[in-house]
Amino acid sequence: MPSRTNASPMKPIILARPDHCVSRRDISSAAIKVLYRLKDEGYTSYIAGGGVRDLLLGRHPKDFDIATNATPEQIRKIFRNCRLIGRRFRLAHILFRGEIIETATFRAPAPENEGEHNEKIFRTGEDGQVMRDNVFGTPQQDALRRDFTINALFYNIADFSIIDYAGGLEDLKKKIIRVIGNPDKRFTEDPVRMIRAARFAGTLGFEIEKNAYDSICRNKEKLALASSSRMYEEVQKLFFCGHAKDVFYWLEKTELLHPMFRDFSHWIDEDRARHDWVIQTLEQMDRWRKANLRVHPALLFALLFGEYHEFRTQQLIDAGASPFEAARNAVQQHLQGMCTNVRVPKQVIYQVSDIMTNQLRFERAQGQRPKRFMQHKAFLDAFLYFQLSSKAHTRNTELLAYWTELRKEQD
Ligand code: ATP
Ligand code: MG
């Protein structure tokens, strides 16, 4: 790719309305209202980032983010239904019924020397974005500080054109995830961008461009420097995106899985057969997502790490622990240990441990116990785990039939 990515002034590629497929009909009416209000007040107003990417790909965007040259204060004056958020970079949330339109002033890039630093030392507790407070920029600067070329496109409401400063249109055609600027520098600045690359490659069915891929392989251990609470948020996006299996493929291929889930990934590597359970789990996650079913984090972690937790449970039983104690401790030790990299909330750890200890109750099918268990709020998650694990390991066939029948009777 030519030097599309340096910060020198350059002309963007502009696709006029007849030359692209993005129609106002595909944009939410709330976003359209915000775009037009800003434009009518004399400001530049663009849809930016993932929304434009998804519209061009004919996908349904999750949300529409707006970029403008109006400052947060100016935005607030225009919209009554507006709240300014963010400590380091102020941006506006414009509230509509059932929808929030995030509207940000064009941002300048991070100061040069900040790329040297890592989040844990300099950014503890922050969202990890490396930037000075409220340094507004030009549309070009705003485009070039974004992570990947395909995420740096604008849709201009003034003439319905697409504006491309970073080569994103070409990369959309070629189906590649390309870092804007020097990959080593951009991944050091914000290591979370590496797992974002895996997420976009998996979700969109794209390849990670070679320089970016090689850079991830070189820099993957830096993921451990990212803020653990931000990692928790990102991990959920990886597995709830509806393409968890494909995303997992990229996490393994780039070996990003190691710095994310250290113990678990070593355990998988020891025996490739352990992979099968994980893949089956991810396929199930994707089916639930496609059916628009909401899976909560505890069920995700219980399923994803299920076979590993069972393995650790057995080790503890062999060392003399009771099955209940072993199941609880196996989960808690693992997830608490993981918290330095991915901070799983305590509440979620307890829920995962409940799912695992409750597995013991499926074997106790006498008297009133089954009915009482079924009325318990923790039953459904435990049952979903029981069902999936029984099928995956072809075990508990009769017990599963019994509980399935009992559930039908209760309905
Ligand atoms: P999704 O559809 O999953 O929401 P998205 O591209 O909209 O994908 P967001 O996390 O919502 O991703 O971020 C919105 C935009 O902000 C991105 O498209 C990208 O331009 C920019 N962005 C987000 N995170 C980063 C980052 N870590 N570094 C640089 N730019 C980022
Ligand atoms: Mg988004």
Side-chain angles (χ1 to χ4, degrees):
M1 198 66 199
S3 57
R4 280 239 163 264
T5 52
N6 62 33
S8 61
M10 55 172 274
K11 271 202 163 143
I13 293 168
I14 296 182
L15 271 193
R17 177 63 190 95
D19 301 326
H20 65 78
C21 64
V22 177
S23 152
R24 271 168 297 167
R25 271 197 316 248
D26 303 323
I27 302 169
S28 80
S29 59
I32 291 282
K33 271 186 205 142
V34 175
L35 287 167
Y36 273 121
R37 276 300 294 283
L38 286 166
K39 175 181 144 340
D40 293 344
E41 295 287 332
Y43 297 108
T44 305
S45 63
Y46 297 157
I47 297 181
V52 187
R53 174 198 70 217
D54 289 345
L55 287 172
L56 284 165
L57 289 172
R59 301 164 64 93
H60 190 67
K62 250 191 347 229
D63 43 33
F64 295 96
D65 296 332
I66 289 176
T68 176
N69 61 350
T71 64
E73 283 306 325
Q74 288 167 330
I75 299 169
R76 178 156 56 187
K77 283 196 186 118
I78 300 173
F79 298 95
R80 266 187 305 123
N81 48 336
C82 171
R83 200 175 55 196
L84 296 191
I85 61 147
R87 273 185 301 157
R88 288 173 46 217
F89 190 90
R90 305 279 282 164
L91 48 87
H93 273 180
I94 305 176
L95 314 174
F96 292 84
R97 203 180 304 183
E99 199 174 346
I100 295 175
I101 303 294
E102 193 169 291
T103 306
T105 312
F106 295 126
R107 287 184 205 184
E112 267 302 303
N113 57 359
E114 289 213 36
E116 310 294 313
H117 304 338
N118 74 55
E119 285 177 39
K120 264 200 183 138
I121 298 168
F122 294 93
R123 298 287 179 202
T124 316
E126 296 288 336
D127 65 1
Q129 295 267 20
V130 178
M131 62 183 65
R132 286 170 291 177
D133 292 34
N134 276 8
V135 180
F136 302 133
T138 61
Q140 181 191 354
Q141 285 177 318
D142 185 275
L144 298 183
R145 62 133 197 121
R146 290 171 186 271
D147 46 7
F148 306 111
T149 59
I150 58 165
N151 286 349
L153 296 159
F154 294 132
Y155 171 81
N156 184 359
I157 196 67
D159 59 4
F160 317 124
S161 64
I162 304 287
I163 305 173
D164 177 12
Y165 284 100
L169 285 169
E170 176 128 6
D171 289 341
L172 272 184
K173 255 192 244 152
K174 290 189 185 154
K175 294 180 177 267
I176 50 179
I177 309 295
R178 187 193 304 273
V179 173
I180 297 177
N182 175 316
D184 286 343
K185 180 166 175 284
R186 299 305 308 279
F187 289 142
T188 305
E189 229 169 57
D190 180 3
V192 169
R193 288 176 185 145
M194 294 188 281
I195 51 172
R196 288 175 61 83
R199 173 156 69 89
F200 292 122
T203 318
L204 305 173
F206 280 26
E207 291 291 317
I208 300 179
E209 182 268 337
K210 186 169 183 322
N211 290 321
Y213 179 82
D214 292 346
S215 173
I216 293 177
C217 296
R218 274 195 300 276
N219 291 295
K220 58 179 185 287
E221 289 303 326
K222 291 187 181 148
L223 199 58
L225 301 170
S227 115
S228 58
S229 40
R230 184 160 168 239
M231 280 295 287
Y232 176 68
E233 298 304 316
E234 288 292 330
V235 162
Q236 291 180 67
K237 290 189 200 166
L238 294 173
F239 296 108
F240 291 144
C241 68
H243 294 86
K245 188 180 154 192
D246 300 324
V247 170
F248 192 80
Y249 162 85
W250 281 104
L251 291 175
E252 285 215 294
K253 192 172 151 106
T254 52
E255 295 182 0
L256 281 166
L257 204 63
H258 285 266
M260 260 169 73
F261 302 140
R262 237 171 254 288
D263 298 345
F264 174 66
S265 68
H266 282 135
W267 177 79
I268 294 184
D269 288 347
E270 280 169 16
D271 177 354
R272 294 302 290 173
R274 292 170 177 171
H275 206 244
D276 297 348
W277 161 272
V278 178
I279 297 302
Q280 286 188 48
T281 293
L282 299 175
E283 284 171 348
Q284 184 60 54
M285 294 296 303
D286 292 341
R287 276 195 292 274
W288 278 330
R289 182 73 184 75
K290 280 185 187 90
N292 260 334
L293 295 172
R294 271 195 73 80
V295 179
H296 57 89
L299 186 57
L300 163 71
F301 289 121
L303 289 173
L304 181 64
F305 301 131
E307 198 178 23
Y308 177 53
H309 287 159
E310 288 184 23
F311 175 85
R312 287 180 65 138
T313 300
Q314 192 54 52
Q315 284 185 322
L316 295 176
I317 291 174
D318 292 346
S322 74
F324 180 89
E325 239 182 347
R328 188 191 56 200
N329 292 348
V331 170
Q332 295 190 358
Q333 284 164 8
H334 170 229
L335 294 183
Q336 274 158 10
M338 208 173 87
C339 279
T340 36
N341 289 340
V342 179
R343 195 188 304 159
V344 183
K346 272 207 179 69
Q347 182 65 22
V348 174
I349 297 181
Y350 291 139
Q351 287 170 339
V352 178
S353 129
D354 280 349
I355 292 173
M356 298 312 282
T357 53
N358 274 331
Q359 296 308 304
L360 296 166
R361 298 172 78 171
F362 289 105
E363 289 160 26
R364 298 191 209 124
Q366 308 92 0
Q368 288 304 304
R369 278 177 167 169
K371 291 222 164 84
R372 273 209 304 272
F373 181 26
M374 282 175 72
Q375 277 152 13
H376 200 282
K377 63 178 178 2
F379 174 80
L380 184 60
D381 287 343
F383 180 72
L384 289 170
Y385 183 93
F386 180 65
Q387 196 178 35
L388 201 79
S389 65
S390 301
K391 285 184 182 161
H393 296 297
T394 13
R395 65 186 183 195
N396 301 325
T397 319
E398 280 172 27
L399 264 184
L400 180 60
Y402 167 81
W403 282 97
T404 309
E405 196 51 39
L406 210 61
R407 281 197 74 208
K408 274 195 207 135
E409 284 170 22
Q410 289 276 306
D411 284 345

